[in-house]
């Protein structure tokens, strides 16, 4: 347990000395205990305020000095520099490169197999972030995501000579998110210029997260006859040069030219890596630190080409670069560990299980571009029902003929055909079986033998076979987890389950959550960012997160860097101290607390992410033990703006849910129906409520019926469209002739209020009955007061439900009284909008705060 110093700019030398002493003493203590390895975090860089750069440099320098004092002695032979934050890992990486730039090795004792001196580079697994660093310190990383989500300073876009952004996929995506200003500025930049192939025009990023977009006019591929690859290389070099000239630190480049322009993807992958390495060697950039190659997740060929190119470079024995690789520690061999589940795109849930990327996605399996898709068929492989019919008809007659031919040969209930007219390369056809888990395992083993790298399954048996969807999901995912755990380098690295029926999505997502937790628990694995083996290999991965990924809000704020030059160290430090004080004076943090935050959905969290980007604030969930809250930090004026917008979001959520709650309540009392070809169909609860209110207010109400707008006259019970055509509607009352609907006689006058809280007198029988019930199980508590909550809407709804249950059970003994604990701040919501389990929360067991 090392005690790091608190940073004081006026005592910089003393702070550095104390930090180095803490590191050196830690290394000596580990060696004295005959330990072979030690992990050291960025000590004092957190709440102790030690500047990150000085902290990283001090730690690495202390390590070097300690190793130089006793070279080759002691048991310690591995030092890991560890942190969860990517910027901290990068700072440690840069400090390591600078400190050991003279070629001295930081390792001593026995070398690990992953040491670069052995030449045994670890096999790279496909992840979201793979990379390599040049000898000059320029980092190149691969990212699988949409180009419009890039957060670097600069994003590169390809554009035609007419400068129209509504043509290519990349341009369209950027334009849609950035807004029309992007197109307008690009046209203005091109005015008065001759736009030829090779031109690069710069615009602002507008609503994109980047500062600038570089629009490059690319040549088309002409089979290499016109030196177009050379022109493409020059364009990439110019984009890198512009980024460096503007003192920007990062740039994102898509797989330029691989779309409509027709450049071969392996050629572009090699060319882009070559150009960045050449630029780094020639220009030795001082500002530019990161180059991101962004590949769309659906472009598997591009991902494969770039990954192969990266792996080929990692396999070359070459000094002067470091590798970014994921590090996964398992306490047990042969068991897969799983990451948290993330939503990478609308209706796409993804998790990492060992080396396998597993996805559950809504879609059409006939449109999948995986190496192979799976078809569940009959014994003769000619089933023309459900998914099998769609697959065979989409694949075409040639595949049907191939199935017929292979069905006559020995096949063990499995055959593999070509993909035909489909986008996949092959189709595996299985004879339907009751053992779904065995079918999945059998298919994956076939993929392993055929060396397929990706496979897509349907939700087997959930159609006409009418299998239990939860059992199907569990069986399929169990088989996938077992497959991923059998090998650290399986042939299949991407496994998908494609859901066609929307209601099955939640079933499979729930199973993913269960299996994800079980897999990580069984293996005892955990993920962390490791700057490992100071000889040169670095690892990046995502930290363990909360169970609700929607609560994880990434900070989009990038640090501003001040470079201070002066005639003396004292003046430089004085200037630095003044800047820090100025920044702190303008910093503010506030917390927004509200019960309705717990009702936020993906739409609301997307709004919060937009606020972070737009206002450059950090928004994160509040403490888990308090009522739902959001903590906002940043510049004072931006924090205030964000707080006001969040209050508006809360207001909208509250209004929407309260309205839905009222509509659901009213549906127990009355509903409205419309005529459709002689039959009456029920409006949804919200629409019924709006019509009912219009009836009470003697007004009209606009509604949508079968995607068509109608104007409803509730009094006349008619709905009329824009062409004057009318259909009948009718009101169904559910409370007429129901005597239990009468309000209790003991209720006080409602005073024309919707909800009324009436405090009971201790002398009243009603008070004494409640007191007696409560005291049976909680005799040691003191009752401060008892209130009767009078809400006629909920009373009537309750009575209707009670009548239904009495009729169903054939008895009237269907009622029990329970006491529920909750926070006092929830009472108004409960009284007005009803009670549900979400109000229990932290206070669920605190009976002393209970309300009836």
């Amino acid at each position: 347990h090392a005690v790091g110093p608190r940073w004081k700019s006026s005592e910089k030398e003393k702070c550095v000395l104390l930090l180095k002493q803490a590191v050196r003493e830690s290394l000596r203590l580990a060696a004295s205990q005959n330990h072979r390895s030690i992990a050291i975090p960025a000590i004092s860089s957190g709440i102790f305020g030690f500047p990150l750069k000085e902290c990283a440099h001090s730690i690495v320098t202390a390590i070097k000095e300690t190793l130089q004092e006793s070279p080759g002695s002691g048991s310690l032979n591995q030092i890991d520099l560890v942190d969860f934050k990517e910027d901290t890992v990068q700072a440690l990486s840069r400090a390591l490169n600078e400190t050991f730039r003279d070629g001295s090795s930081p390792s001593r004792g026995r070398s690990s197999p992953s040491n670069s001196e052995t030449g045994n580079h670890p096999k790279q697994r496909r992840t979201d972030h793979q990379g390599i660093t040049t000898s000059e310190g320029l980092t190149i990383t691969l990212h699988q995501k949409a180009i419009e989500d890039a957060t670097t300073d600069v994003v590169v876009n390809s554009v035609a000579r007419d400068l129209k952004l509504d043509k290519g996929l990349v341009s369209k995506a950027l334009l849609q998110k950035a807004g029309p200003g992007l197109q307008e500025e690009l046209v203005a930049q091109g005015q008065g210029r001759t736009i030829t192939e090779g031109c690069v025009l710069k615009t602002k990023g507008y609503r994109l997260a980047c500062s600038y977009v570089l629009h490059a006019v690319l040549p088309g591929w002409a089979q290499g006859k016109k030196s177009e690859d050379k022109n493409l290389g020059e364009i990439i070099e110019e984009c890198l040069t512009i980024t460096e000239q503007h003192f920007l630190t990062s740039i994102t480049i898509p797989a330029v030219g691989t779309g409509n322009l027709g450049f071969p993807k392996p050629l572009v992958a090699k060319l882009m890596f070559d150009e960045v390495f050449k630029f780094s060697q020639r220009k030795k950039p001082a500002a530019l630190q990161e180059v991101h190659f962004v590949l769309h997740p659906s472009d598997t060929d591009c991902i494969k080409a770039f990954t192969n190119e990266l792996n080929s470079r990692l396999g070359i024995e070459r000094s002067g670069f470091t590798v970014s690789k994921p590090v996964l520690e398992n306490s047990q061999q042969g068991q897969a560990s799983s990451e948290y589940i993330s939503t990478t795109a609308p209706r796409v849930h993804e998790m990492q299980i060992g080396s396998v990327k597993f996805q559950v996605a809504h879609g059409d399996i006939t449109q999948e571009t995986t190496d192979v898709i799976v078809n569940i068929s009959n014994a003769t492989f000619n089933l023309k029902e459900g998914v099998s019919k769609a697959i065979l008809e989409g694949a075409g007659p040639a595949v049907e003929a191939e199935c017929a031919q292979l069905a006559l040969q020995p096949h063990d209930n499995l055959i593999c055909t070509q993909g035909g007219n489909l986008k996949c390369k092959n189709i595996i056809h299985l004879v339907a079986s009751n053992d779904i888990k065995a079918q999945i395992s059998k298919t994956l083993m076939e993929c392993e033998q055929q060396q397929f790298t990706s496979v897509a399954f349907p939700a087997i048996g959930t159609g006409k076979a009418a299998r239990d969807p939860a059992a199907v999901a569990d069986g399929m995912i169990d088989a996938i987890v077992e497959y991923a755990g059998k090998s650290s380098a399986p042939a299949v690295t991407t496994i998908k389950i494609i859901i066609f029926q929307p209601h099955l999505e939640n079933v499979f997502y729930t199973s993913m959550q269960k299996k994800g937790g079980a897999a990580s628990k069984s293996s005892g694995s955990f993920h962390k960012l490791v700057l490992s083996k100071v000889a040169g290999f670095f690892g990046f991965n995502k930290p363990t997160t909360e169970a609700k990924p929607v609560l994880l809000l990434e900070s989009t704020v990038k640090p501003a860097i001040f470079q201070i030059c002066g005639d003396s160290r004292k003046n430089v430090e004085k200037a630095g101290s003044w800047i820090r004080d100025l920044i702190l004076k303008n910093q503010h943090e506030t917390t927004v607390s509200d019960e309705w935050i717990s009702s936020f959905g993906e739409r609301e969290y997307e709004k919060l992410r937009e606020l972070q980007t737009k206002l450059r604030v950090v928004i994160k969930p509040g403490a888990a033990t308090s009522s739902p809250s959001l903590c906002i930090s940043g510049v004072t004026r931006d924090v205030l703006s964000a707080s006001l917008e969040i209050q508006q979001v809360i207001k909208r959520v509250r209004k929407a849910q309260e309205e839905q709650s009222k509509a659901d309540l009213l549906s127990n009392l009355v509903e409205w129906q419309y005529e459709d070809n002689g039959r009456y169909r029920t409006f949804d609860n919200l629409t019924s409520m709006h019509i009912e209110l219009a009836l009470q207010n003697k007004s009209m109400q606009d509604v949508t019926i079968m995607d068509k707008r109608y104007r409803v006259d509730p009094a006349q019970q008619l709905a009329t469209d824009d062409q004057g055509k009318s259909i009948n509607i009718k009101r169904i009352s559910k409370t007429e002739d129901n005597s239990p609907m009468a309000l209790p006689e003991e209720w006080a006058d409602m005073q024309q209020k919707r909800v009324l809280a009436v405090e009971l007198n201790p002398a009243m029988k009603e008070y004494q009955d409640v007191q007696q019930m409560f005291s049976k199980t909680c005799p040691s508590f003191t009752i401060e007061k008892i209130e009767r909550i009078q809400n006629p809407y909920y009373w009537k709804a309750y009575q209707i439900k009670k009548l239904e249950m009495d009729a169903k059970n054939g008895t009237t003994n269907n009622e029990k009284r329970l006491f529920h604990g909750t926070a006092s701040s929830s009472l108004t919501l409960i009284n007005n909008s009803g009670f549900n389990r979400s109000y229990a929360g932290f206070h669920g067991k605190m009976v002393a705060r209970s309300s009836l």
Side-chain angles (χ1 to χ4, degrees):
H1 301 273
V3 180
R6 290 183 180 274
W7 174 257
K8 293 182 180 179
S9 57
S10 58
E11 298 178 359
K12 177 180 177 180
E13 288 81 5
K14 180 180 178 182
C15 292
V16 170
L17 181 64
L18 289 173
L19 179 56
K20 291 172 69 174
Q21 183 179 346
V23 174
R24 295 177 66 157
E25 287 300 318
S26 299
L27 294 172
R28 291 194 184 101
L29 182 59
S32 69
Q33 299 293 320
N34 292 321
H35 294 307
R36 297 187 178 186
S37 58
I38 184 172
I40 303 175
I43 302 170
S44 291
S45 66
I47 59 173
F48 281 9
F50 215 107
L52 189 54
K53 184 176 180 181
E54 284 86 351
C55 174
H57 186 267
S58 300
I59 291 173
V60 175
T61 302
I63 292 172
K64 181 176 181 180
E65 291 171 354
T66 304
L67 297 179
Q68 287 176 338
E69 288 173 4
S70 55
S73 62
S75 60
L76 199 61
N77 60 21
Q78 178 176 327
I79 302 172
D80 292 348
L81 302 184
V82 184
D83 202 275
F84 286 105
K85 297 180 180 178
E86 186 171 344
D87 58 343
T88 304
V89 176
Q90 291 175 350
L92 292 167
S93 174
R94 286 193 291 270
L96 188 67
N97 287 335
E98 292 169 3
T99 304
F100 292 95
R101 187 173 289 171
D102 58 1
S104 59
S105 172
S107 61
R108 71 182 185 193
R110 291 183 301 135
S111 298
S112 166
S114 64
N115 194 311
S116 59
E117 294 176 1
T118 68
N120 295 326
H121 299 277
K123 182 175 181 178
Q124 296 296 300
R125 294 177 292 160
R126 184 175 299 179
T127 66
D128 285 343
H129 304 286
Q130 295 174 288
I132 188 170
T133 304
T134 70
S135 57
E136 293 77 28
L138 182 58
T139 301
I140 310 168
T141 52
L142 303 185
H143 297 258
Q144 295 182 37
K145 62 181 181 181
I147 186 73
E148 65 270 22
D149 295 330
T151 56
T152 50
D153 295 328
V154 177
V155 171
V156 175
N157 174 40
S158 59
V159 67
R161 294 173 64 179
D162 60 7
L163 303 184
K164 291 184 178 179
L165 298 177
D166 58 356
K167 293 183 177 179
L169 293 177
V170 172
S171 295
K172 279 184 180 178
L174 293 175
L175 176 62
Q176 185 175 3
K177 186 166 185 178
L182 188 70
Q183 178 69 80
E184 292 168 3
E185 185 181 353
L186 179 59
V187 172
Q189 290 286 340
Q191 288 180 350
R193 298 181 56 175
T194 302
I195 305 301
T196 59
E197 292 177 353
C199 285
V200 177
L201 304 177
K202 178 171 68 71
T203 67
K204 291 183 292 186
Y206 293 90
R207 292 203 294 264
L208 297 170
C210 63
S211 299
Y212 299 101
V213 179
L214 298 181
H215 305 268
V217 181
L218 306 179
W221 175 247
Q223 307 302 320
K225 299 175 182 178
K226 299 180 179 179
S227 302
E228 58 271 24
D229 54 340
K230 180 181 178 182
N231 296 337
L232 186 59
E234 291 171 351
I235 291 172
I236 294 171
E237 182 183 6
E238 184 173 354
C239 292
L240 296 170
T241 301
I242 292 173
T243 305
E244 174 69 14
Q245 288 174 346
H246 285 76
F247 300 101
L248 301 171
T249 61
S250 56
I251 182 173
T252 289
I253 308 175
V256 289
T258 59
N260 295 333
L261 296 177
F263 276 79
K265 294 173 182 181
L267 172 68
V268 172
K270 182 178 186 305
L271 184 147
M272 288 174 62
F273 273 101
D274 285 345
E275 289 301 325
V276 176
F277 269 94
K278 284 191 289 185
F279 175 82
S280 178
Q281 187 176 10
R282 292 174 186 170
K283 302 295 179 67
K284 295 180 173 52
L288 184 58
Q289 299 173 8
E290 301 173 22
V291 178
H292 296 193
F293 292 162
V294 168
L295 314 168
H296 197 276
S298 65
D299 194 347
T300 54
D301 290 339
C302 229
I303 293 170
K304 183 176 181 181
F306 276 79
T307 304
N308 289 342
E309 180 62 29
L310 174 62
N311 289 342
S312 69
R313 291 172 185 268
L314 297 181
I316 300 172
E317 287 193 30
R318 175 177 177 181
S319 61
F321 63 80
T322 57
V323 180
S324 299
K325 73 180 187 70
V327 174
L328 183 65
E329 296 185 3
N330 287 324
S331 61
Q332 300 177 22
Q333 290 287 344
Q335 289 184 328
S337 87
S338 59
E339 288 186 356
Y340 69 97
I341 303 169
S342 61
T343 303
T344 57
R347 308 179 83 171
V348 178
H349 305 295
E350 179 177 307
M351 66 189 294
Q352 193 76 22
I353 310 175
S355 300
V356 175
K357 181 170 71 176
F358 171 48
Q359 287 185 346
V360 170
H362 177 269
D364 182 354
I365 196 169
T366 63
Q367 301 301 312
E368 285 300 308
T369 58
T370 48
D371 287 352
V372 63
I373 65 172
V374 177
N375 174 35
I376 304 302
S377 189
N378 54 19
T380 53
F381 300 105
N382 60 358
L383 182 64
K384 283 293 191 73
E385 291 181 353
V387 176
S388 182
K389 178 182 179 182
I391 290 175
L392 290 180
E393 289 182 350
V399 171
E400 291 188 48
E402 189 177 3
C403 285
Q405 182 180 1
L406 293 174
L408 301 176
Q409 303 174 13
H411 49 63
D412 193 24
N413 294 330
L414 180 150
I415 61 173
C416 183
T417 67
Q418 297 299 310
N421 299 328
L422 299 179
K423 297 178 181 180
C424 61
K425 296 178 182 177
N426 294 88
I427 305 171
I428 289 179
H429 306 262
L430 284 170
V431 176
S433 165
N434 291 329
D435 192 343
I436 291 177
K437 181 178 177 182
Q439 285 190 302
I440 301 296
S441 299
K442 187 175 184 178
T443 303
L444 292 173
M445 288 302 100
E446 178 69 14
C447 292
E448 188 79 17
Q449 293 175 8
Q450 300 274 5
Q451 289 296 294
F452 295 136
T453 62
S454 56
V455 58
F457 293 91
I460 298 174
T462 56
K464 287 202 170 185
R467 300 275 178 81
D468 177 14
V472 170
D474 288 346
M476 294 183 72
I477 297 176
D478 277 342
I480 292 168
V481 171
E482 286 183 10
Y483 170 79
K486 288 181 179 179
S487 171
S488 61
V492 183
T493 55
T494 300
I495 301 175
K496 296 183 178 182
I497 297 178
I498 305 302
I499 308 295
F500 184 72
Q501 299 165 285
H503 69 277
L504 296 178
E505 290 181 48
N506 285 336
V507 177
F508 277 78
Y509 179 68
T510 300
S511 184
M512 286 179 78
Q513 290 178 309
K514 290 191 299 183
K515 303 306 177 184
S520 59
K521 183 181 289 187
S522 67
S523 65
S525 64
F526 57 93
H527 291 266
K528 58 184 179 179
L529 289 180
V530 180
L531 194 156
S532 181
K533 268 302 179 186
V534 287
F537 290 94
F538 303 90
F540 296 84
N541 216 322
K542 296 178 180 178
T544 304
T545 64
E546 298 290 335
K548 290 184 178 180
V550 72
L551 290 175
L552 301 175
L553 299 169
E554 288 187 16
S555 169
T556 58
V557 180
K558 294 185 179 180
I561 300 174
F562 290 85
Q563 294 184 337
I564 308 172
C565 301
D567 54 0
S568 68
R569 175 177 294 182
K570 181 179 179 181
N571 288 340
V572 168
E573 290 180 352
K574 185 177 179 181
S577 178
W578 180 83
I579 291 173
R580 290 189 191 93
D581 291 342
L582 186 64
I583 292 172
L584 289 174
K585 286 179 183 177
N586 286 278
Q587 290 294 304
H588 182 63
E589 182 173 292
T590 189
T591 299
V592 178
S593 299
D594 198 289
E595 292 289 340
W596 290 103
I597 292 174
S598 62
S599 299
F600 277 15
E602 183 58 36
R603 178 183 176 185
E604 286 71 42
Y605 278 94
E606 181 60 34
K607 176 64 176 178
L608 297 185
R609 284 187 278 268
E610 289 177 4
L611 285 177
Q612 287 190 127
T613 302
K614 181 177 72 172
L615 298 176
R616 296 191 177 276
V617 295
V618 174
I619 305 174
K620 57 185 179 181
T625 56
S626 64
S627 60
S629 61
L630 293 170
C631 183
I632 314 163
S633 57
V635 178
T636 303
R637 64 177 183 274
D638 297 331
V639 169
L640 178 60
S641 298
S643 177
L644 292 174
E645 293 206 38
I646 289 174
Q647 293 289 358
Q648 291 300 315
V649 173
I650 293 173
K651 186 177 179 180
R652 287 196 296 270
V653 170
R654 180 174 64 246
K655 182 179 179 181
Q657 294 210 8
E658 286 179 346
E659 189 174 44
Q660 184 64 54
S661 178
K662 293 175 185 176
D664 293 341
L665 171 62
L666 186 63
S667 69
N668 293 310
L669 309 176
V670 64
E671 70 179 28
W672 283 84
Q673 300 178 346
Y674 63 92
E675 188 179 14
D676 178 21
N677 294 325
R679 298 177 58 188
Y680 277 90
R681 302 184 183 277
T682 304
F683 285 105
D684 63 79
N685 290 350
L686 270 176
T687 304
S688 281
M689 183 184 72
H690 292 154
I691 297 174
E692 181 69 15
L693 291 175
L695 176 65
Q696 295 175 9
N697 297 328
K698 298 179 180 179
S699 60
M700 309 289 276
Q701 176 66 38
D702 291 331
V703 302
T704 300
I705 302 174
M706 294 180 290
D707 298 326
K708 196 172 183 180
R709 297 294 296 174
Y710 284 83
R711 192 162 184 79
V712 168
D713 184 343
Q716 298 297 322
Q717 297 196 349
L718 285 175
T720 308
D721 64 14
D722 295 337
Q723 285 74 42
K725 182 180 178 181
S726 297
I727 61 175
N728 295 321
I729 64 172
K730 67 179 181 179
R731 182 180 187 272
I732 306 296
S733 175
K734 300 181 179 180
T735 61
E736 294 175 357
D737 300 327
N738 285 335
S739 57
M741 294 303 104
L743 297 178
E745 293 181 359
E746 65 269 20
W747 275 27
D749 180 25
M750 291 299 298
Q751 304 169 13
Q752 295 184 339
K753 294 181 179 179
R754 181 172 174 268
V755 179
L756 184 67
V758 179
E759 185 171 349
L760 301 183
N761 189 308
M764 297 172 64
K765 183 179 183 301
E766 188 178 0
Y767 182 102
Q768 294 169 2
D769 289 343
V770 174
Q771 181 186 41
Q772 183 180 0
M773 282 190 298
F774 185 79
S775 299
K776 282 183 180 179
T777 53
C778 302
S780 60
F781 293 103
T782 301
I783 298 176
E784 294 183 5
K785 66 177 178 177
I786 299 175
E787 290 180 340
R788 179 201 307 129
I789 306 303
Q790 298 182 181
N791 188 322
Y793 289 100
Y794 279 110
W795 171 264
K796 292 179 180 179
Y798 177 77
Q799 294 303 317
I800 291 172
K801 293 296 183 183
K802 185 176 183 301
L803 287 173
E804 291 177 358
M805 186 172 288
D806 290 348
K808 179 181 178 182
N809 295 340
T811 175
T812 58
N813 186 24
N814 296 304
E815 200 172 32
K816 287 188 181 294
R817 296 196 173 193
L818 303 174
F819 292 89
H820 297 271
T822 188
S824 58
S825 59
S826 302
L827 295 181
T828 302
L829 291 173
I830 294 173
N831 295 345
N832 284 272
S833 304
F835 178 81
N836 60 63
R837 289 186 62 190
S838 67
Y839 290 114
F842 177 68
H843 303 274
K845 297 181 180 179
M846 300 181 64
V847 183
R849 299 188 184 182
S850 296
S851 299
L852 181 67

